Amino acid sequence: MSYQFITTAKLPTRHGEFDIHIFENDDGQEHVMLTVGLPVVNQTDVVNQADTALNQQGAAPAEPLIPLIRIHSECLTGDAFSSLKCDCGPQLNTAMQAIQETGCGAILYLRQEGRGIGLTNKIRAYALQDQGHDTLDANLMLGLPADARVYDMCGPMLAHVGVDSVRLITNNPDKVAYLTQHGIDVVERVPLLVGVNDMNAEYLATKRDRMGHLLDKDFNTALHLNK
């Protein structure tokens, strides 16, 4: 599957202004990247000027800033409707704010609703969850994979803005492994534990206990504080 850059524009948000970039694959599926501080225009000249100024002061050149990156799969119910069944909306907003504060980074917003099973099947899985099944078993009961997401679009998207080293905002080791296997240096994994509540506690516990997400002891503390 190949991915093609289509267009870009400015996107003001309540967190600050982003550049929004649209990519499309061979099937016409669209993916979105929001960036701040990427790419640096005429990067060589900027670095040379900085080196000159620092050398005149007898100091070493500054280390390049590693962008803060969030790979976020589309979640209509969480991102748009503020669902309490998941932590997706708070994760997206917290990542956007963190990237603005850092001044260098990107949100890779991938159009793979419901861990890749689509919106209709996601709501069917919700119905099974309402009957007491966890998120993983609900997918399996529908004859669907526990997680059908792919990340092959991330490489072309990051390459578009010249990024080959990242600080990755995630609790999911699969995302770290995928980027690493495809030549992206993950210099730091930045944990993201937000939006914990009584409605999504079992959902998060399933991520931790059955899907290998790196939610540590702070998960239980966050749940207690939100009661």
Side-chain angles (χ1 to χ4, degrees):
M1 183 73 70
S2 62
Y3 295 86
Q4 180 181 2
F5 166 70
I6 303 299
T7 189
T8 188
K10 298 293 183 182
L11 183 70
T13 76
R14 65 186 178 91
H15 301 291
E17 184 175 88
F18 291 86
D19 292 318
I20 181 168
H21 313 262
I22 304 300
F23 298 79
E24 188 175 283
N25 64 20
D26 298 335
D27 296 330
Q29 185 182 42
E30 299 165 326
H31 299 281
V32 178
M33 179 167 63
L34 302 180
T35 64
V36 173
L38 297 171
V40 176
V41 178
N42 210 4
Q43 184 175 8
T44 301
D45 287 348
V46 172
V47 172
N48 287 342
Q49 291 168 7
D51 288 351
T52 299
L54 288 169
N55 287 337
Q56 288 174 350
Q57 299 171 11
E63 290 294 325
L65 188 62
I66 304 299
L68 192 59
I69 303 295
R70 167 72 181 166
I71 299 172
H72 189 93
S73 295
E74 179 180 41
C75 177
L76 178 68
T77 50
D79 298 341
F81 300 148
S82 302
S83 168
L84 296 179
K85 281 180 174 283
C86 65
D87 56 345
C88 300
Q91 283 188 324
L92 177 60
N93 282 283
T94 300
M96 290 174 68
Q97 186 63 40
I99 288 167
Q100 282 287 341
E101 291 172 358
T102 300
C104 180
I107 303 284
L108 278 59
Y109 194 86
L110 310 182
R111 307 297 296 279
Q112 41 189 8
E113 179 75 48
R115 295 182 187 152
I117 64 174
L119 181 60
T120 298
N121 283 327
K122 174 181 173 178
I123 302 308
R124 288 174 176 149
Y126 271 8
L128 292 172
Q129 293 167 38
D130 291 342
Q131 298 172 22
H133 303 285
D134 70 26
T135 53
L136 191 152
D137 283 337
N139 281 24
L140 299 179
M141 291 169 69
L142 292 170
L144 300 167
D147 192 339
R149 290 176 293 180
V150 296
Y151 302 107
D152 56 349
M153 66 288 287
C154 295
M157 294 170 86
L158 290 173
H160 179 71
V161 288
V163 170
D164 57 13
S165 297
V166 303
R167 298 168 56 224
L168 188 65
I169 306 174
T170 189
N171 303 320
N172 186 349
D174 289 345
K175 294 178 181 178
V176 176
Y178 186 89
L179 291 186
T180 301
Q181 291 165 8
H182 289 78
I184 305 297
D185 183 17
V186 181
V187 301
E188 180 185 3
R189 182 187 71 84
V190 181
L192 182 61
L193 183 60
V194 292
V196 181
N197 63 77
D198 288 344
M199 298 294 294
N200 65 23
E202 290 188 11
Y203 160 86
L204 293 170
T206 298
K207 278 187 172 184
R208 179 192 61 191
D209 300 336
R210 302 190 65 190
M211 303 185 75
H213 286 217
L214 302 173
L215 296 169
D216 59 19
K217 62 183 180 180
D218 291 338
F219 164 67
N220 292 327
T221 301
L223 178 60
H224 175 74
L225 291 175
N226 280 276
K227 285 186 175 181

